Amino acid sequence: MKKSINPYLSITGLFAITLTVFSCSQNPELKNSPEPGSVSANIESEDQSSGFKSTASLNEKDKEKTTDSRAKKKLIKTGNLVLESGHIEKSKAHLDRAIQSLDGYYDNEQFSKSGYEYRYSLTVRVPAKNFDRMLQAIHNGNDEIVSKNIQTDDVSGEYIDLETRLKSKRAYLARYEAFLTKAKNMEELLQIQEQIRELIEEIESQEARLSFLDDQVGYSTLDIELYKPLSHHVTPSEEPGFWEKAKNALAKGWTGIVVLFLGLLSIWPLLVILVPAGIYGYRKLKNPKN
């Protein structure tokens, strides 16, 4: 016996098949392509769906690394010393030997001489592990410590923060570079390139700061002012001789004559009156009859 086909079921099945074929023919990549101005949002969305790790969501392994980093302090040690020396060249030689034996070096070295002192202005860099030994070597010397200031700065927090930010920025940079291949138009491409440029600048800046902190932590800095005061004493050899005294006396005599002549010039009207009167009086006294 021939079975009859339900027309309602046939229409429904045909509609379902048509809808499935239409859905499969669509390009999912084009449907999901980001609109201009929404590149960052799409990357963050992809990061969340793929389990990408942001700064705010560290996994257990990263947390363990962070805890280990915190356990090792990042300390910057600096100091300022003023030393008074009885023999400045011997004191300088003592510092040279101490610095060389402790694997240090002079970052700056200046010498000056004035009428009252000799002075060395020194900036010393030594490995942080030898900083206390350098101070002890100075204490063991023959110089008097006039002033001393030692400072320790803990930069562990800043260091860990920079490391965490760098790791995050490098990961995002890799994501942006990979996203370049998915750009669908020139506007989107330029937007991604601008984000990459900004990330590279931030990464380089933070890397430079980390490098500076590593240098300051690894090598301590000690500023030293080493001086010797000069006291002036007149010795017999410094007293003037006979000819020097005679020269000085002649100079003083000539100066006196010049002063007298200038003084007479200043009273010339009085001399004009007194000189003739004096001559007339002298003649009257000599010849009263005249």
Side-chain angles (χ1 to χ4, degrees), residues 66-97:
T66 303
T67 303
D68 293 339
S69 298
R70 286 174 181 167
K72 187 177 181 180
K73 292 287 188 179
K74 299 291 184 179
L75 304 177
I76 297 178
K77 294 182 178 181
T78 57
N80 293 276
L81 290 173
V82 178
L83 308 175
E84 182 177 338
S85 172
H87 195 295
I88 194 166
E89 293 305 326
K90 289 184 178 180
S91 300
K92 178 62 166 52
H94 173 71
L95 286 175
D96 293 343
R97 290 191 296 270

Side-chain angles (χ1 to χ4, degrees), residues 9 34 49 64 102 114 126 158 162 212 231 235 257 270 285:
L9 293 176
S49 63
E64 290 177 4
L102 297 174
S114 65
V126 293
E158 180 184 1
L162 283 171
F212 173 77
S231 55
T235 60
I257 292 174
L270 183 60
L285 290 174

Side-chain angles (χ1 to χ4, degrees), residues 259-271:
V259 171
L260 178 61
F261 178 73
L262 293 176
L264 292 175
L265 286 178
S266 65
I267 58 172
W268 68 267
L270 183 60
L271 293 177

Side-chain angles (χ1 to χ4, degrees), residues 227-257:
Y227 73 95
K228 175 188 176 183
L230 299 178
S231 55
H232 187 268
H233 300 284
V234 177
T235 60
S237 60
E238 294 175 328
E239 294 181 357
F242 171 77
W243 294 110
E244 186 67 23
K245 290 180 179 179
K247 180 181 177 181
N248 292 336
L250 289 174
K252 289 180 181 179
W254 175 252
T255 301
I257 292 174

Side-chain angles (χ1 to χ4, degrees), residues 72-287:
K72 187 177 181 180
K73 292 287 188 179
K74 299 291 184 179
L75 304 177
I76 297 178
K77 294 182 178 181
T78 57
N80 293 276
L81 290 173
V82 178
L83 308 175
E84 182 177 338
S85 172
H87 195 295
I88 194 166
E89 293 305 326
K90 289 184 178 180
S91 300
K92 178 62 166 52
H94 173 71
L95 286 175
D96 293 343
R97 290 191 296 270
I99 292 169
Q100 185 177 6
S101 66
L102 297 174
D103 299 325
Y105 64 93
Y106 287 113
D107 190 49
N108 182 52
E109 181 178 354
Q110 295 180 354
F111 175 78
S112 62
K113 177 182 178 182
S114 65
Y116 56 92
E117 70 173 9
Y118 297 130
R119 178 176 291 267
Y120 278 102
S121 297
L122 309 169
T123 300
V124 178
R125 303 293 307 281
V126 293
K129 62 182 180 180
N130 294 334
F131 184 72
D132 292 335
R133 293 174 61 189
M134 184 67 203
L135 292 176
Q136 189 60 45
I138 294 173
H139 277 280
N140 293 339
N142 297 323
D143 304 321
E144 179 184 355
I145 299 178
V146 178
S147 67
K148 175 182 176 182
N149 180 30
I150 306 299
Q151 184 175 350
T152 302
D153 296 324
D154 188 351
V155 294
S156 304
E158 180 184 1
Y159 197 93
I160 293 171
D161 182 64
L162 283 171
E163 284 186 323
T164 304
R165 290 175 181 273
L166 266 175
K167 185 175 182 179
S168 177
K169 289 183 186 298
R170 286 169 181 156
Y172 270 106
L173 178 61
R175 299 290 291 179
Y176 273 106
E177 290 173 343
F179 209 68
L180 277 173
T181 60
K182 299 181 180 181
K184 302 305 177 183
N185 51 60
M186 183 59 67
E187 183 179 355
E188 184 179 316
L189 180 65
L190 293 176
Q191 189 181 30
I192 296 174
Q193 288 177 340
E194 177 63 19
Q195 293 290 338
I196 290 176
R197 184 190 64 79
E198 291 179 0
L199 278 172
I200 290 175
E201 288 181 356
E202 293 172 4
I203 288 172
E204 289 177 349
S205 175
Q206 291 177 354
E207 285 177 340
R209 178 61 181 172
L210 268 181
S211 178
F212 173 77
L213 290 179
D214 281 332
D215 176 69
Q216 295 298 306
V217 170
Y219 273 78
S220 299
T221 304
L222 193 60
D223 292 317
I224 301 175
E225 294 291 329
L226 175 65
Y227 73 95
K228 175 188 176 183
L230 299 178
S231 55
H232 187 268
H233 300 284
V234 177
T235 60
S237 60
E238 294 175 328
E239 294 181 357
F242 171 77
W243 294 110
E244 186 67 23
K245 290 180 179 179
K247 180 181 177 181
N248 292 336
L250 289 174
K252 289 180 181 179
W254 175 252
T255 301
I257 292 174
V258 172
V259 171
L260 178 61
F261 178 73
L262 293 176
L264 292 175
L265 286 178
S266 65
I267 58 172
W268 68 267
L270 183 60
L271 293 177
V272 169
I273 298 173
L274 292 178
V275 169
I279 294 174
Y280 177 79
Y282 175 76
R283 288 178 178 178
K284 276 291 184 182
L285 290 174
K286 190 175 181 181
N287 298 309

